[in-house]
Amino acid sequence: MKAGRHRTFDKDIALDQAMEVFWSNGYPGTSLSDLTNAMGINKPSLYSAFGNKEKLYQSALERYVQKHGVIHAKHLFAADKCLSERVQCYLTSIAEMLTDPKLPGGCFVCISTCEVGGTRIPTDALQVIFKINQQTKSFLTEFFNNELSAGNMASEPSPVIMANYILSLQFGLSVMARNGAKLAELNEVIKLSAVKF
Amino acid sequence: MKAGRHRTFDKDIALDQAMEVFWSNGYPGTSLSDLTNAMGINKPSLYSAFGNKEKLYQSALERYVQKHGVIHAKHLFAADKCLSERVQCYLTSIAEMLTDPKLPGGCFVCISTCEVGGTRIPTDALQVIFKINQQTKSFLTEFFNNELSAGNMASEPSPVIMANYILSLQFGLSVMARNGAKLAELNEVIKLSAVKF
DNA sequence: ACACTTATGTACCGATCGGTACGATATTGA
DNA sequence: TCAATATCGTACCGATCGGTACATAAGTGT
């Protein structure tokens, strides 16, 4: 056991709470008071545990990807379904998260991506956002590449175009959820968009 | 001519400049200094001409709709094209605006919609955002209703579902543009999504 | 010329911003 | 028991936030 007074809060739980605050309000819209209130800690504790506001934001983004992002990919690899069904399950899984009443609504990464453009997001955090989106696109491109190799789809549209299409859909569903769309509506959109895969 | 000293700036131009600042940085990410710097006026002039930050934001949103929103609808009514072609032209027209290097990138309304959720957007401005999205959805629904009546599409998917689908596409394209996607990529997405209308 | 009206620039307001210094409080190993 | 270490709460820092008071400048109609 290390010497010194022990932390009286759970760092993981505090990070989850910070994530939800950033998710709700965005980066410039979130103040340190918002964060410390939600996390139930004081500012010095926040700074000693997470660095500063920007680093906490980056940590929150990474945590979001791990907790709410990567879990949907498994639907793309269900052995008993055809490609079209698997993609639909993938998107529906995302749509359920986007409209989960226990969560802030929409996709944290999508919201952060929309905040890119001005000078309000620090450069390092900006890189994190771009990196996450690039990873998603690369993952989807490789997925469709494999499906093409396996003979599960035609060579046109190309895997990279398919990846862009799915990414656009995810973003679109996210903003729709932020606008108050119900899960049933999102599923209709998914069903309608599924004619080509 | 009305009495008193005359305004030394053009109110419409100033509003355009304010619109682009909000469009770039979002509402909480935009400070009064950002606004007055971009508009080339002092704070008292801003307040006497536009009320306050929130009212200026609402005015900027309304102006955006008039200047960059409604102009795309004409493509839906081109007499010499089939429904599928018209919708594609409509979306391509939007995509060109979303990626216009002279503009902040993406859709201002989409970005504002993403900022809904926390307590950072004042209630009245929130209502403006929802109203704009509702108008877009209603417009698209009525459009597809008319196309259905004219025998240009099947009764399934229903006009309201088609409207939701197009709105999702618009939002998705906007975030893609904000993420740095090129016009050619957006057009590929549009082409791919066009198989059903 | 003059009273009246409106816009402008400066200088300021209280509140909040992100961030920190510092003493008090726990917990460790010796 | 006691130094060493690490976290805690409080109280504060300069800077910036949205918003305004006020004196000056520039127009109007009579």
Side-chain angles (χ1 to χ4, degrees):
Chain A
M1 207 59 168
K2 67 169 187 281
R5 186 173 177 175
H6 296 171
R7 197 173 270 131
T8 57
F9 63 94
D10 186 307
K11 201 172 164 180
D12 285 336
I13 294 177
L15 180 53
D16 278 347
Q17 290 159 332
M19 175 190 74
E20 297 213 3
V21 176
F22 280 126
W23 190 349
S24 294
N25 297 333
Y27 183 77
T30 298
S31 71
L32 282 180
S33 302
D34 294 329
L35 291 166
T36 53
N37 286 341
M39 300 164 86
I41 64 178
N42 297 106
K43 280 191 275 187
S45 300
L46 188 155
Y47 275 80
S48 101
F50 299 103
N52 59 14
K53 185 189 173 185
E54 176 187 357
K55 288 198 174 63
L56 176 56
Y57 180 65
Q58 296 174 220
S59 299
L61 278 167
E62 304 279 14
R63 181 163 195 82
Y64 172 83
V65 173
Q66 292 308 315
K67 189 171 179 182
H68 300 288
V70 299
I71 56 170
H72 311 290
K74 64 179 182 217
H75 297 284
L76 291 174
F77 303 101
D80 56 336
K81 296 193 180 72
C82 73
L83 175 57
S84 171
E85 286 171 324
R86 280 180 281 142
V87 174
Q88 278 197 67
C89 285
Y90 168 76
L91 290 171
T92 295
S93 174
I94 290 174
E96 284 167 359
M97 187 269 291
L98 298 174
T99 55
D100 187 337
K102 294 188 296 299
L103 298 175
C107 163
F108 183 20
V109 174
C110 174
I111 288 159
S112 298
T113 303
C114 285
E115 289 184 329
V116 171
T119 55
R120 253 52 196 187
I121 311 286
T123 312
D124 288 354
L126 230 131
Q127 294 306 113
V128 173
I129 296 168
F130 283 137
K131 187 200 71 180
I132 292 171
N133 283 325
Q134 185 55 47
Q135 281 174 348
T136 303
K137 184 173 167 177
S138 297
F139 164 75
L140 288 171
T141 302
E142 192 176 2
F143 167 74
F144 284 115
N145 258 322
N146 291 338
E147 294 294 320
L148 178 57
S149 300
N152 294 332
M153 56 180 271
S155 60
E156 293 293 330
S158 71
V160 62
I161 290 178
M162 284 298 298
N164 263 334
Y165 180 59
I166 300 298
L167 190 56
S168 295
L169 275 174
Q170 294 183 214
F171 283 146
L173 294 172
S174 169
V175 183
M176 289 293 283
R178 202 72 169 180
N179 194 42
K182 303 295 171 203
L183 176 58
E185 296 178 86
L186 299 191
N187 279 331
E188 296 281 3
V189 172
I190 292 169
K191 204 193 304 176
L192 190 48
S193 64
V195 289
K196 196 56 185 179
F197 40 74
Chain B
M1 207 60 171
K2 69 167 185 281
R5 185 174 178 174
H6 297 171
R7 197 173 268 132
T8 58
F9 63 94
D10 186 307
K11 200 172 163 179
D12 284 337
I13 294 176
L15 180 53
D16 277 347
Q17 291 158 331
M19 177 190 72
E20 297 212 4
V21 176
F22 280 126
W23 190 348
S24 294
N25 297 333
Y27 184 78
T30 297
S31 71
L32 281 181
S33 303
D34 295 328
L35 291 166
T36 53
N37 287 341
M39 300 163 87
I41 63 177
N42 297 107
K43 280 191 276 186
S45 299
L46 188 156
Y47 275 80
S48 97
F50 300 103
N52 58 15
K53 185 189 175 186
E54 176 187 357
K55 287 199 175 63
L56 176 56
Y57 180 66
Q58 297 174 219
S59 299
L61 278 168
E62 304 278 13
R63 181 163 196 81
Y64 171 84
V65 173
Q66 292 308 313
K67 190 172 180 182
H68 300 287
V70 299
I71 57 171
H72 311 289
K74 64 179 182 216
H75 297 284
L76 290 174
F77 303 101
D80 57 336
K81 296 192 178 74
C82 73
L83 174 58
S84 172
E85 287 172 324
R86 280 179 281 141
V87 174
Q88 278 196 66
C89 285
Y90 169 75
L91 291 171
T92 295
S93 175
I94 291 174
E96 283 167 1
M97 187 270 290
L98 297 175
T99 56
D100 187 338
K102 295 187 297 297
L103 298 175
C107 163
F108 184 21
V109 174
C110 174
I111 289 159
S112 298
T113 304
C114 285
E115 290 184 329
V116 171
T119 56
R120 254 53 198 185
I121 312 287
T123 312
D124 288 354
L126 230 132
Q127 293 306 113
V128 173
I129 297 168
F130 283 137
K131 186 200 71 180
I132 292 172
N133 283 325
Q134 184 55 47
Q135 281 172 349
T136 304
K137 184 172 167 178
S138 297
F139 164 75
L140 289 171
T141 303
E142 191 176 3
F143 167 75
F144 284 115
N145 258 323
N146 291 338
E147 294 294 319
L148 177 58
S149 299
N152 295 332
M153 56 180 272
S155 61
E156 294 293 331
S158 70
V160 61
I161 290 177
M162 285 297 298
N164 263 335
Y165 179 60
I166 300 297
L167 190 56
S168 295
L169 275 173
Q170 295 183 213
F171 284 146
L173 294 172
S174 170
V175 183
M176 289 294 282
R178 201 74 168 179
N179 194 43
K182 304 295 172 203
L183 176 58
E185 297 179 86
L186 299 191
N187 279 331
E188 295 282 4
V189 172
I190 292 168
K191 203 194 305 176
L192 190 48
S193 63
V195 289
K196 195 56 185 179
F197 41 70

